[in-house]
Amino acid sequence: MKKITMLAAVLLFAVTATFAQAKKKVAVVTFYADKMVDLSDVGLSGIAAIADLKNDPDFNLAPLLQQYHDKFFNDYAKKFPFELTDETLVTGNADYHAFQPTFLGMKQDMSNFQLYPGYEAIDPTWSGANVNGMLKAFPDVDGVMFVYISFALVKGFGVGGTASTKMRAFTHIALYNKKGDKVFVINEHANSSKTGVMVGGIPVMKPEKVLPMCESALKELMEDLDKRIQKIIDKSGKKL
């Protein structure tokens, strides 16, 4: 009986060790908020309004980004079938900070982004070079993940140039494996419960009006992800 018990213990240890060794490691290589609020749904190119807002020091998305960062690493990260590396391994990497991201082959304008401290703004969507650059900077991980949020103003009820507006929050979570192949992409969005107004076809874009809508939209988005992210991950199909 003692031999059988000892054999069972050895087998259990071997299985546990194998499982631990098989656990994949992923580095989150970007975490930011896009300060360019999209106004296309309200029928405006909005170049001047957008530029003024993103350069306005009162339009500070840092507290919202902090909320999303904490939610992501404390809650969502536990649902992934892999481990996220310690953030300091990314934020303390000199090659990572030296990398110059591109957008459609051009140098990326960094003024558009509210960065979480220690991170760089790197968009994988428009440049395979950005993904490959991150894989070279972190050769010891099994994959790299890109996380960011953005906002868009959407038109609600109204007649003519007078209407209500809501803010829509988006999140983009993309994972790529060591070969640079896309493992999964999560694109989710939610509208704010708080509303704004358009008068004469022009939305009110003052920071004190826009920020509460952004916070409301992000809150709705995180509540939606609480319910859906596990199912989305399970449906992703591919593996690292």
Side-chain angles (χ1 to χ4, degrees):
M1 179 64 73
K2 184 178 290 188
K3 289 184 178 179
I4 294 175
T5 302
M6 183 170 289
L7 178 60
V10 170
L11 289 172
L12 179 61
F13 175 80
V15 169
T16 303
T18 301
F19 178 80
Q21 290 174 0
K23 198 76 169 179
K24 302 289 186 177
K25 295 280 188 179
V26 168
V28 175
V29 295
T30 197
F31 209 102
Y32 66 87
D34 192 335
K35 297 187 74 174
M36 297 282 285
V37 177
D38 183 1
L39 299 180
S40 58
D41 190 73
V42 295
L44 297 174
S45 59
I47 296 176
I50 292 173
D52 288 344
L53 192 61
K54 77 163 188 171
N55 294 322
D56 191 325
D58 291 329
F59 185 59
N60 180 18
L61 294 173
L64 277 66
L65 191 58
Q66 181 72 58
Q67 291 177 32
Y68 189 59
H69 171 274
D70 293 348
K71 187 72 172 176
F72 185 88
F73 281 94
N74 294 334
D75 293 344
Y76 304 151
K78 297 175 183 178
K79 301 181 186 298
F80 294 124
F82 47 78
E83 292 181 1
L84 299 181
T85 62
D86 190 290
E87 288 184 274
T88 58
L89 296 179
V90 175
T91 59
N93 185 317
D95 291 336
Y96 168 67
H97 291 294
F99 178 76
Q100 177 58 63
T102 57
F103 179 79
L104 296 176
M106 299 178 289
K107 184 178 179 181
Q108 192 166 284
D109 182 1
M110 304 303 287
S111 67
N112 294 344
F113 309 111
Q114 183 94 48
L115 302 175
Y116 190 81
Y119 282 97
E120 304 291 342
I122 304 169
D123 188 336
T125 309
W126 300 102
S127 176
N130 289 346
V131 174
N132 291 332
M134 291 299 93
L135 290 170
K136 289 179 181 178
F138 301 97
D140 297 328
V141 299
D142 299 292
V144 290
M145 180 178 284
F146 301 77
V147 184
Y148 58 86
I149 55 175
S150 60
F151 299 92
L153 200 68
V154 294
K155 190 174 181 179
F157 297 104
V159 178
T162 302
S164 65
T165 58
K166 288 194 172 188
M167 190 64 70
R168 181 170 292 167
F170 297 83
T171 187
H172 183 89
I173 305 170
L175 174 64
Y176 294 79
N177 64 20
K178 289 178 73 72
K179 296 179 180 179
D181 297 327
K182 191 183 297 179
V183 177
F184 67 70
V185 174
I186 296 173
N187 282 307
E188 288 289 303
H189 67 267
N191 289 352
S192 63
S193 58
K194 292 190 176 182
T195 60
V197 294
M198 290 177 63
V199 180
I202 304 298
V204 175
M205 295 297 290
K206 295 180 179 179
E208 62 267 26
K209 298 293 184 182
V210 175
L211 274 173
M213 295 170 66
C214 290
E215 185 172 13
S216 174
L218 182 61
K219 179 176 180 290
E220 297 292 334
L221 175 60
M222 290 191 294
E223 289 179 356
D224 183 56
L225 280 173
D226 283 340
K227 303 170 187 175
R228 290 173 45 78
I229 194 167
Q230 187 66 66
K231 187 178 292 185
I232 294 170
I233 294 168
D234 292 342
K235 280 186 174 181
S236 63
K238 296 182 181 179
K239 297 181 179 179
L240 286 176

